[in-house]
């Protein structure tokens, strides 16, 4: 049958009907709010390239966590900016490191709030790479190779220390080969077999990370991350990466970034049945904020459409800096 018997607009005729037949529904429980924690006292400092996102010292952190809990957002993703850095990122696996201290405080304040610990070394190394580096100088220019297997031990130590501090979920983002297997074995050996791994399985070497590198003070001091993060042109490679993580014991998979990679989200959703996370990253957030500040777009409409699109593509959970605003808009505020 066709027109005039079939009229598709009948199911769009009112808000009530549109709501009744809506296929994809965005819910506050779908969201994770990232937090940047830094050393010092009395700090609540807006990140210039990410309007509305702040660095918090431990003594100002509760205000942010209170707000997140009041909005019904179920989880936070912690990033830490340490006071000191070194070649192996030792602040990352320090029992009294910034992420570990923040985790303990949050779990003391709100035991039911899920703490997801980003497990990487780039915020903690003086060279800004996600693992141990072998460097050499040619004609005055520093070159370096990120050492895969040697980095796994440090990443595992970091994950175990985060779990000891009370992290509910370990989220390794380093893209070293074998990182899920190494971290799973380390967690199990330390008695944390109950702690799930949310793997950054499909993480591209993306230009959308620019504002984050300011926020986390994690820009590489030489070279780039293209030897371990994925080529943005590839999707079959994404399947191979995700499959490796599934076989190594990942509990959740992630695609990062999100907006330019909805096709990848859909492919991973169709290939694997683990929960799937999309990371709506800093550059995606900042573009929306910048356009909204110029009055060029309706920020509320754009953000809710964007997040709904990520769910429609196949994401079960979305990490986004828009989380707090999105929940308010979903409530009608």
């Amino acid at each position: 049958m066709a027109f005039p018997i079939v009229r598709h607009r009948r199911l769009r005729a009112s808000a009530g009907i549109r709501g009744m037949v809506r296929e994809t529904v965005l819910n506050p429980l779908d969201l994770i709010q990232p937090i940047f924690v830094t050393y010092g006292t009395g700090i609540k400092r807006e990140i210039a390239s990410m309007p509305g996102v702040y660095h918090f010292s431990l003594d100002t952190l509760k205000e942010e966590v209170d707000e997140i809990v009041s909005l019904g957002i179920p989880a936070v993703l912690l990033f830490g900016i340490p006071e000191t850095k070194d070649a192996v990122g030792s602040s990352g696996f320090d029992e009294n490191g910034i992420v570990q201290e923040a985790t303990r405080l949050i779990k003391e304040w709100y035991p039911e709030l899920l703490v997801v610990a980003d497990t990487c070394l780039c915020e903690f190394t003086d060279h800004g790479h996600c693992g141990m580096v072998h460097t050499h100088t040619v004609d005055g220019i520093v070159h370096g190779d990120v050492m895969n297997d040697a980095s796994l031990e440090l990443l595992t130590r970091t994950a175990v220390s985060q779990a000891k501090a009370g992290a509910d979920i370990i989220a390794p983002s380093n893209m070293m080969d074998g990182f899920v297997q190494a971290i799973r074995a380390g967690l199990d050996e330390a008695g944390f077999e109950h702690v799930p791994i949310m793997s950054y399985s499909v993480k591209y070497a993306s230009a959308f990370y620019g504002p984050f590198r300011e926020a986390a003070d994690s820009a590489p001091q030489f070279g780039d991350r293209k030897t371990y993060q994925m080529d943005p042109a590839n999707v079959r490679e994404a399947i191979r990466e995700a499959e490796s993580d599934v076989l190594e014991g990942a509990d959740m998979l992630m695609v990062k970034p999100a907006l330019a990679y909805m096709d990848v989200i859909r492919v991973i959703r169709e290939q694997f049945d683990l929960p799937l996370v999309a990371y709506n990253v800093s550059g995606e957030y900042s573009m929306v904020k910048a356009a909204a500040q110029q009055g060029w777009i309706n920020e509320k409409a754009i953000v809710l459409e964007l997040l709904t699109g990520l769910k429609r593509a196949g994401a079960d959970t979305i990490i986004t800096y828009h989380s707090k605003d999105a929940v308010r808009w979903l409530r009608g505020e």
Side-chain angles (χ1 to χ4, degrees):
M1 291 186 184
F3 178 84
I5 295 174
V6 175
R7 291 179 180 267
H8 299 291
R9 289 181 55 188
R10 292 186 190 118
L11 297 183
R12 305 173 195 153
S14 68
I17 293 176
R18 291 192 297 273
M20 181 183 295
V21 301
R22 184 161 294 133
E23 299 172 26
T24 305
V25 178
L26 188 65
N27 187 294
L29 295 178
D30 300 330
L31 305 175
I32 297 175
Q33 174 68 40
I35 300 179
F36 295 95
V37 187
T38 191
Y39 59 91
T41 58
I43 296 171
K44 180 184 177 181
R45 181 175 59 239
E46 189 170 35
I47 298 164
S49 58
M50 299 177 69
V53 179
Y54 295 81
H55 289 123
F56 296 95
S57 52
L58 293 175
D59 60 322
T60 65
L61 178 60
K62 191 169 187 298
E63 175 188 349
E64 175 75 353
V65 178
D66 286 346
E67 183 181 13
I68 289 166
V69 170
S70 72
L71 290 168
I73 297 168
V76 296
L77 174 61
L78 283 185
F79 296 100
I81 299 91
E83 187 169 12
T84 61
K85 303 187 179 194
D86 58 31
V88 296
S90 59
S91 294
F93 48 84
D94 187 335
E95 297 290 331
N96 297 309
I98 189 70
V99 170
Q100 289 80 357
E101 292 283 9
T103 299
R104 283 190 282 267
L105 284 173
I106 292 171
K107 297 307 291 184
E108 178 184 328
W109 299 329
Y110 295 105
E112 298 306 312
L113 181 65
L114 295 174
V115 173
V116 184
D118 179 80
T119 305
C120 197
L121 297 176
C122 59
E123 299 115 290
F124 306 102
T125 55
D126 52 15
H127 48 72
H129 281 283
C130 302
M132 288 183 65
V133 172
H134 172 70
T135 60
H136 56 281
T137 303
V138 179
D139 296 330
I141 299 174
V142 177
H143 300 267
D145 300 312
V146 178
M147 298 182 289
N148 191 95
D149 295 10
S151 300
L152 296 179
E153 179 184 352
L154 300 180
L155 292 162
T156 300
R157 290 178 65 184
T158 301
V160 170
S161 73
Q162 292 167 338
K164 284 181 178 178
D168 298 283
I169 299 171
I170 297 300
S173 60
N174 52 88
M175 290 297 285
M176 297 295 111
D177 289 338
F179 70 93
V180 172
Q181 183 179 65
I183 289 172
R184 181 73 273 159
L187 289 172
D188 291 356
E189 184 178 347
F192 296 107
E193 63 278 349
H194 61 285
V195 174
I197 294 175
M198 177 191 291
S199 174
Y200 286 65
S201 302
V202 182
K203 181 178 180 181
Y204 286 91
S206 172
F208 284 99
Y209 302 149
F212 176 89
R213 289 176 180 170
E214 175 194 347
D217 188 25
S218 63
Q221 297 305 298
F222 55 84
D224 54 41
R225 296 178 178 147
K226 293 180 180 179
T227 64
Y228 48 102
Q229 294 178 359
M230 282 179 51
D231 186 336
N234 294 353
V235 66
R236 295 193 302 273
E237 182 183 4
I239 298 172
R240 298 197 298 272
E241 285 280 2
E243 183 177 27
S244 291
D245 289 0
V246 171
L247 294 173
E248 292 175 20
D251 299 281
M252 291 173 268
L253 305 176
M254 187 191 302
V255 174
K256 178 184 181 184
L259 286 185
Y261 300 89
M262 284 196 185
D263 62 319
V264 181
I265 294 171
R266 170 51 56 187
V267 166
I268 299 301
R269 171 74 294 142
E270 291 174 348
Q271 291 283 331
F272 304 99
D273 61 3
L274 290 181
L276 180 57
V277 182
Y279 197 147
N280 176 213
V281 300
S282 60
E284 298 166 352
Y285 171 87
S286 295
M287 290 192 302
V288 170
K289 280 291 183 182
Q293 288 180 345
Q294 292 294 321
W296 295 337
I297 60 171
N298 178 327
E299 182 179 2
K300 171 185 173 181
I302 288 284
V303 169
L304 294 182
E305 182 176 341
L306 181 161
L307 298 178
T308 300
L310 295 180
K311 278 208 72 179
R312 189 185 66 247
D316 300 294
T317 300
I318 303 167
I319 301 169
T320 178
Y321 304 94
H322 294 293
S323 290
K324 294 188 295 181
D325 285 338
V327 171
R328 293 190 184 95
W329 292 326
L330 289 170
R331 289 179 172 183
E333 297 176 13

